Amino acid sequence: MNTLVESEPIKISDSEWEVMRVVWTKGKTDAKTINNLLSHSKGWKLATIKTLLGRLVKKDVLQTEQSGKKFVYSAKVTEEQTVRSATENIFSHICAKKVGSTIADMISEAELSQEDIDNIEDALLKKSPVTDVACNCIPGQCICKEDEMGE
């Protein structure tokens, strides 16, 4: 599977996520199969699916090949890469000092299996704490910079 350059963010809409989840599950699939799976729950028409597929191809997250009269789509990025990019995007929009509490909030809101909890605990045990997390905001975006400026 081809992958985008690590630093390029993968930005897809909520509707595009729904389509990608089918593609990731199926490996290779066509518009009609995606439509059969999503049309009932989403109320989408085949034209909507084709529009979303076209956008995903333009965003370089899907590739297409012709098979007879139909086009077959496959992912150029993994689900893990896309989730990681979305997470990085979320964290880039908040103060670095709030990342830990945001992760804690996400954990408290999530339904987790024992395996999930074990994986989170393992990840935390491997993490070395820092003495202080530096604020990454522009002055005026959070109270950290205001405190530093004495305002």
Side-chain angles (χ1 to χ4, degrees), residues 45-144:
K45 305 265 187 245
L46 182 58
T48 303
I49 300 294
K50 288 183 176 182
T51 298
L52 293 168
L53 288 167
R55 289 180 189 165
L56 290 162
V57 169
K58 280 185 183 175
K59 291 180 179 185
D60 205 31
V61 296
L62 276 185
Q63 59 190 9
T64 183
E65 60 186 69
Q66 196 159 0
S67 176
K69 293 183 179 182
K70 66 183 175 181
F71 289 95
V72 176
Y73 299 89
S74 58
K76 292 180 78 174
V77 295
T78 65
E79 185 172 11
E80 291 77 17
Q81 287 173 298
T82 310
V83 169
R84 182 172 288 116
S85 184
T87 303
E88 289 169 0
N89 184 47
I90 289 169
F91 291 155
S92 73
H93 293 296
I94 62 174
C95 177
K97 290 181 174 257
K98 295 181 182 173
V99 169
S101 62
T102 301
I103 293 169
D105 289 343
M106 293 169 76
I107 291 170
S108 68
E109 293 294 322
E111 193 170 301
L112 301 170
S113 68
Q114 185 60 53
E115 182 180 356
D116 295 330
I117 292 169
D118 292 343
N119 287 336
I120 293 166
E121 288 175 342
D122 287 346
L124 286 171
L125 290 172
K126 292 176 186 172
K127 192 79 177 160
S128 297
V130 296
T131 306
D132 187 39
V133 175
C135 175
N136 60 337
C137 300
I138 295 169
Q141 287 185 329
C142 72
I143 59 171
C144 300

